[in-house]
Amino acid sequence: MIIGYYRPSNDDPEGRIQEKKLLEKKCTVLYKEEHSSPKRRVNLEALVAEAGQGDTVVVASLIDFADSTRQLLELLNELETKGTQFISISEGLSTSPGETYRFQEVLEHLISFQSDVISERTKKGLGEAKEKGVSTGRPRKPDENVKKAIAMYESKTYSLAEIKEKTGISKSTLYRYLER
């Protein structure tokens, strides 16, 4: 049996892109998570419990299957003990007998996978912050301090060090506001 697994992500919130790739690989059974959270991955647990000897688990990408390198290794080891093969389409990885790949290729994929994990978590965090109305990035200086710094600068009685000490506005920030 060829078993596909997918879950929503920031780039594919409905999982349609992944589903299409899995169907192209002739998956006969599909397991889809309803959320992208690493917690409560009920369908992944069901897939691992039900996969058996001679089955093949197919995912569109490693990031769709695991949330960390450690979890990926644990899942692959568990599938291997059951005699279940694994294929990741995007990375071109397969644990099928006769499939061989250089160790360097595996490391490159693992590094890319870890980068994907970090990117996915960052996008998710920024999205959640935006939904809550939290502004991201470097905090802006309060306008009162900027106005005070400009007034002090234009009075020509304060040095840049004194302006910074009294207002907290750096020389580069002050000049940036003066150029506007």
Side-chain angles (χ1 to χ4, degrees), residues 160-173:
L160 291 172
E162 291 173 320
I163 294 171
K164 181 178 180 179
E165 183 181 315
K166 293 183 190 279
T167 64
I169 304 296
S170 69
K171 176 175 73 171
S172 59
T173 302

Side-chain angles (χ1 to χ4, degrees), residues 4-6 29 48 61 73 76 81 88 100 137 140 166 175:
Y5 175 81
Y6 64 110
V29 177
V48 172
S61 177
L73 183 60
L76 292 177
T81 60
S88 177
T100 58
R140 299 187 58 81
K166 293 183 190 279
Y175 286 148

Side-chain angles (χ1 to χ4, degrees), residues 24-168:
E24 287 172 359
K25 286 291 186 180
K26 309 284 190 256
C27 292
T28 52
V29 177
L30 293 177
Y31 286 84
K32 178 188 179 190
E33 295 292 349
E34 297 303 317
H35 54 81
S36 62
S37 172
K39 298 177 181 168
R40 299 182 343 265
R41 295 198 29 211
V42 178
N43 289 323
L44 178 61
E45 292 170 11
L47 176 151
V48 172
E50 293 175 23
Q53 181 73 35
D55 290 340
T56 301
V57 172
V58 181
V59 296
S61 177
L62 292 175
I63 189 65
D64 303 323
F65 188 59
D67 295 303
S68 68
T69 307
R70 181 182 311 272
Q71 182 188 26
L72 177 63
L73 183 60
E74 289 170 358
L75 289 167
L76 292 177
N77 285 340
E78 192 167 349
L79 292 175
E80 183 181 32
T81 60
K82 293 175 160 240
T84 303
Q85 306 305 315
F86 175 81
I87 296 173
S88 177
I89 299 168
S90 294
E91 291 83 7
L93 293 177
S94 173
T95 61
S96 301
E99 294 285 331
T100 58
Y101 36 85
R102 295 180 14 254
F103 183 67
Q104 291 88 336
E105 290 173 348
V106 174
L107 287 178
E108 288 171 7
H109 290 302
L110 288 175
I111 290 167
S112 175
F113 166 69
Q114 199 61 35
S115 175
D116 289 347
V117 168
I118 292 167
S119 175
E120 187 70 21
R121 289 179 182 163
T122 301
K123 287 177 188 175
K124 184 177 180 183
L126 289 172
E128 289 173 358
K130 190 174 183 178
E131 286 176 10
K132 294 177 183 175
V134 175
S135 62
T136 56
R138 187 174 182 175
R140 299 187 58 81
K141 295 285 183 181
D143 288 336
E144 312 85 52
N145 284 347
V146 172
K147 289 176 186 174
K148 183 177 178 182
I150 291 171
M152 291 172 74
Y153 177 81
E154 290 174 345
S155 74
K156 299 191 191 291
T157 57
Y158 297 95
S159 70
L160 291 172
E162 291 173 320
I163 294 171
K164 181 178 180 179
E165 183 181 315
K166 293 183 190 279
T167 64

